Amino acid sequence: MNPLRLGIDIDGTVTSPSSLLPHINKRFGQAFKLDDITDYSLTASFPMLDPKEFGIWFKEAEPEIYRTSPAHDYAQEILNKWNRLHELYYISARGLEVKDVTFGWFREQGIPYRHIELTGTHRKIEAAIKHEVDVFFEDKHDNAVDIHEEVGIPVLLFDAPYNRLPAPPGVVRVRDWREADRWIQTEFGT
């Protein structure tokens, strides 16, 4: 079998979905937990945070947040395995201003990469088409649904409290990278 081309989101997929919380809690004097994030928009989940103030803070804190983000459960193990079998295309909504931090994080975590594309937007459909990915890995519900419907490929949606809306067949919910690996093995025999 030919290697698969795997399109992989970074934040909340390769990194832990709770990566932002220690930073938010410290800056805003809160004690939020992952289960408190019920909407992808953090200011919708935490209405006590002023959206403008939060946006200004986030842009300043973004490099440090990304530099210190823990990897998602089993990400290093499975992505190293897949790197020997498949082509990994990381496609992220991060902007180019955090390119060095992003590449540095991958090196420090021991997570392999050949291609990392920072789109600066949550719309990843064009990148998925350009790189002819066979499967996409995402944590943002509407991205997962849009990529599945517009590109016509399966999308594995990494479960989090903020993405638990119903999804169409073809968007498969997984808890971690080992579960994603089992799905890939079952569907593609790799």
Side-chain angles (χ1 to χ4, degrees):
M1 181 187 150
N2 292 330
L4 295 171
R5 287 184 170 215
L6 305 177
I8 306 167
D9 171 54
I10 297 174
D11 295 303
T13 307
V14 178
T15 68
S16 169
S18 61
S19 296
L20 288 167
L21 288 173
H23 302 277
I24 293 170
N25 287 338
K26 181 178 177 183
R27 167 59 181 85
F28 295 99
Q30 300 292 325
F32 297 131
K33 296 183 262 339
L34 183 58
D35 284 339
D36 296 326
I37 305 175
T38 56
D39 191 293
Y40 191 83
S41 166
L42 292 171
T43 54
S45 286
F46 308 133
M48 69 289 298
L49 301 179
D50 175 75
K52 185 176 179 183
E53 180 185 357
F54 183 84
I56 292 167
W57 166 79
F58 182 79
K59 277 317 242 182
E60 292 171 0
E62 193 175 19
E64 180 65 11
I65 292 167
Y66 295 157
R67 189 186 67 70
T68 61
S69 291
H72 203 295
D73 294 340
Y74 314 114
Q76 182 194 44
E77 169 193 342
I78 299 305
L79 292 169
N80 273 288
K81 172 186 171 183
W82 286 358
N83 190 51
R84 295 185 297 273
L85 305 169
H86 306 296
E87 298 174 22
L88 309 181
Y89 289 83
Y90 298 97
I91 301 169
S92 173
R94 293 180 182 187
L96 291 175
E97 67 277 3
V98 292
K99 178 181 177 184
D100 292 342
V101 169
T102 300
F103 280 79
W105 183 88
F106 273 84
R107 285 189 300 272
E108 287 176 18
Q109 294 293 319
I111 295 176
Y113 62 88
R114 288 189 189 133
H115 180 84
I116 298 175
E117 185 161 336
L118 306 179
T119 65
T121 175
H122 284 290
R123 187 162 166 85
K124 301 171 186 171
I125 291 166
E126 290 78 10
I129 292 169
K130 176 175 78 173
H131 297 297
E132 300 176 339
V133 300
D134 299 303
V135 181
F136 206 94
F137 302 82
E138 179 65 64
D139 74 312
K140 190 172 189 294
H141 183 273
D142 60 336
N143 279 0
V145 172
D146 291 348
I147 291 167
H148 168 65
E149 291 179 348
E150 292 192 40
V151 184
I153 60 173
V155 177
L156 274 64
L157 179 64
F158 277 72
D159 185 61
Y162 53 81
N163 67 20
R164 294 200 173 130
L165 295 169
V171 175
V172 179
R173 190 173 295 278
V174 295
R175 289 184 303 269
D176 60 42
W177 283 97
R178 285 184 177 168
E179 196 171 315
D181 185 44
R182 284 191 296 275
W183 187 90
I184 290 288
Q185 289 178 42
T186 300
E187 294 297 314
F188 294 97
T190 64

